[in-house]
Amino acid sequence: MEELRIVGSSRILAIANQKGGVGKTTTAINLATALAAVGKTVLIIDIDPQGNASTGLGIDRHAREKNVYDVIMGDIPMKTAICKSVIPNLDLVPSTADLTGAELELIEMPHRSHRLTMALQAVKSDYDYILIDCPPSLNLLTLNALVAVQSVIVPLQCEFFALEGLSLLMKTIERVKSTLNPELEIQGVVLTMFDKRNRLSDQVAQDVRDYLGDKVYQTVIPRNVRVSEAPSHGKPALIYDHRCAGSQAYIKLASEVIKREKSQFAA
Ligand code: ADP
Ligand code: MG
């Protein structure tokens, strides 16, 4: 298995969807925790000014003094903004509301789409996986992520408007691939907040599979109250209650993600 790993190079993935509340942050935190649990070293980079990934991993406000805003602005190296989480193997670059202003400031800056790519150079041999938790927008911050990563994981909530906006995301990814980042791929689409008591969830899941085929992971993340409680305890669901259906689903998702990475290498 080791031979399939590109030695000294992280797999860098963005968790992206311009819709808010679809499960990006929940997926970033719990996928990262599940990867860490099987011995992978993982860095989450929180590039959402809401800082939910930072809060969900229990990173104190005072520990966010050095954060992703300073990194993107080029004021500090990425390494100095890395916080350890309570989970072994899982580190985080936190975000604060400062990042809200970054978008406007970036417009005026040189290499405005490549700030994150440049900042990542110094850490990209330090981890097995680097996951970037994107904001709910197709703004310059998200563009920075799409330029910096090798692939994208797209969470889709099992609700009526699930596919709405997806074509814009796909088009954006295609455009970035044909211009700024030729290696960019969608690693997969993950169905989130699936409610088995709701027939609509089933219908949506089926429609999404008909439309996107095997881009959709087999694993479906169920709607689960333990998953939604976990962030208020500053813990990933996998630590808060590793037995709950949501946590178990994220463990399965992690193994699919690892498998897809390996088949991409083997190709
Ligand atoms: P995004 O990052 O896309 O805005 P979040 O991951 O923050 O979305 O999720 C939005 C809300 O839904 C949060 O309150 C989160 O706790 C909740 N949530 C996410 N996934 C689940 C799930 N599988 N079951 C129940 N609640 C969930
Ligand atoms: Mg989020």
Side-chain angles (χ1 to χ4, degrees):
M1 274 175 199
E2 276 304 299
E3 74 277 11
L4 291 171
R5 193 157 123 194
I6 296 176
V7 176
S9 178
S10 311
R11 298 299 298 166
I12 313 178
L13 295 101
I15 318 288
N17 184 333
Q18 74 274 27
K19 273 197 189 185
V22 298
K24 288 181 289 299
T25 301
T26 305
T27 298
I29 291 178
N30 289 293
L31 176 60
T33 305
L35 289 168
V38 294
K40 307 286 181 192
T41 53
V42 189
L43 175 68
I44 297 180
I45 303 178
D46 185 357
I47 62 161
D48 184 348
Q50 294 179 76
N52 293 342
S54 314
T55 311
L57 279 173
I59 307 294
D60 276 1
R61 293 274 155 201
H62 71 82
R64 301 188 202 178
E65 218 157 278
K66 289 182 178 156
N67 59 66
V68 77
Y69 170 79
D70 312 298
V71 173
I72 288 177
M73 290 300 134
D75 295 337
I76 58 169
M78 179 86 81
K79 275 191 187 174
T80 62
I82 292 175
C83 301
K84 295 243 162 274
S85 76
V86 293
I87 295 133
N89 296 337
L90 176 55
D91 294 348
L92 171 100
V93 175
S95 155
T96 67
D98 288 350
L99 199 57
T100 315
E103 234 235 319
L104 275 178
E105 291 175 66
L106 276 171
I107 294 171
E108 304 287 319
M109 294 186 89
H111 315 296
R112 61 182 182 187
S113 313
H114 289 79
R115 310 295 303 186
L116 202 53
T117 310
M118 285 156 33
L120 272 166
Q121 294 307 312
V123 295
K124 73 175 192 189
S125 12
D126 297 353
Y127 294 90
D128 294 317
Y129 286 90
I130 298 178
L131 305 182
I132 304 179
D133 185 25
C134 290
S137 154
L138 289 174
N139 62 11
L140 258 178
L141 289 167
T142 300
L143 180 64
N144 264 268
L146 295 179
V147 170
V149 302
Q150 294 138 351
S151 49
V152 187
I153 293 177
V154 180
L156 273 193
Q157 189 181 346
C158 293
E159 47 135 41
F160 184 63
F161 292 114
L163 286 166
E164 189 197 52
L166 188 65
S167 62
L168 181 61
L169 178 61
M170 300 283 207
K171 254 184 234 154
T172 306
I173 291 171
E174 277 310 310
R175 200 174 311 135
V176 175
K177 184 179 168 73
S178 64
T179 53
L180 303 172
N181 182 7
E183 70 173 335
L184 187 63
E185 300 286 352
I186 294 181
Q187 209 228 34
V189 171
V190 56
L191 294 166
T192 62
M193 292 180 245
F194 183 87
D195 185 349
K196 64 174 190 284
R197 289 161 305 180
N198 182 341
R199 276 197 306 149
L200 184 63
S201 261
D202 255 330
Q203 187 60 51
V204 169
Q206 195 50 53
D207 287 352
V208 171
R209 287 191 194 282
D210 289 347
Y211 181 57
L212 296 168
D214 55 14
K215 271 287 162 206
V216 187
Y217 298 103
Q218 287 303 313
T219 308
V220 172
I221 311 298
R223 184 178 282 285
N224 185 280
V225 71
R226 305 296 274 169
V227 172
S228 60
E229 285 167 2
S232 64
H233 297 266
K235 288 178 183 163
L238 267 151
I239 302 295
Y240 180 62
D241 180 355
H242 77 274
R243 286 199 196 86
C244 77
S247 296
Q248 291 300 311
Y250 275 112
I251 292 170
K252 283 200 192 118
L253 180 67
S255 66
E256 271 195 82
V257 167
I258 293 171
K259 215 187 280 167
R260 287 195 184 193
E261 287 300 320
K262 283 184 182 150
S263 63
Q264 275 178 4
F265 285 148

